[in-house]
Amino acid sequence: QVQLVESGGGLVQAGGSLRLSCAASGRTFSRYAMGWFRQAPGKEREFVATISSGGASTDYAHSVKGRFTISRDNAKNTVYLQMNSLKPEDTAVYYCVADRSGIVVRAGDYWGQGTQVTVSS
């Protein structure tokens, strides 16, 4: 079982940067694939990024590739999402997700509470 707590969201201007953090509880963090999803008001949840348990494999949504970077520090039980060149369409609640497959996040086995990211034009 894993509990996830996101932090680092906020209000930024277009073109700015934010780094989101997700702190995980439990003793088996390094066994889980981790990732980020986001949901804007009135829209469906969408995949953002994923990273495998050992950090060797990553994948990104086309809309964020080249601008966002996912990373993890298993010694600290933490996953990060570095977001650069932010656009207004990136505005959403961002959720941290853990998946027991250890490979990629799908529907997700564990979800955080979310952190709001707002990008002004």
Side-chain angles (χ1 to χ4, degrees):
Q1 188 174 11
V2 176
Q3 288 77 46
L4 307 171
V5 180
E6 303 96 334
S7 62
L11 174 64
V12 297
Q13 295 182 12
S17 297
L18 282 175
R19 189 177 77 158
L20 306 184
S21 298
C22 174
S25 67
R27 300 171 61 189
T28 57
F29 173 81
S30 64
R31 305 273 289 275
Y32 291 86
M34 301 295 297
W36 296 89
F37 285 76
R38 67 187 183 186
Q39 188 166 27
K43 297 185 178 180
E44 65 182 6
R45 182 193 69 186
E46 66 174 341
F47 165 79
V48 176
T50 187
I51 187 167
S52 60
S53 59
S57 299
T58 59
D59 194 24
Y60 301 88
H62 176 74
S63 60
V64 307
K65 194 168 187 177
R67 300 187 297 120
F68 291 10
T69 302
I70 188 170
S71 62
R72 67 191 297 162
D73 186 340
N74 286 348
K76 297 182 178 179
N77 279 17
T78 303
V79 63
Y80 306 95
L81 186 68
Q82 178 67 47
M83 305 185 295
N84 299 326
S85 301
L86 284 162
K87 305 175 181 179
E89 51 263 45
D90 295 318
T91 295
V93 176
Y94 284 70
Y95 296 93
C96 180
V97 182
D99 193 285
R100 289 176 289 185
S101 75
I103 303 170
V104 296
V105 295
R106 299 181 181 273
D109 296 303
Y110 305 100
W111 290 72
Q113 297 297 306
T115 186
Q116 176 71 48
V117 172
T118 303
V119 184
S120 61
S121 60

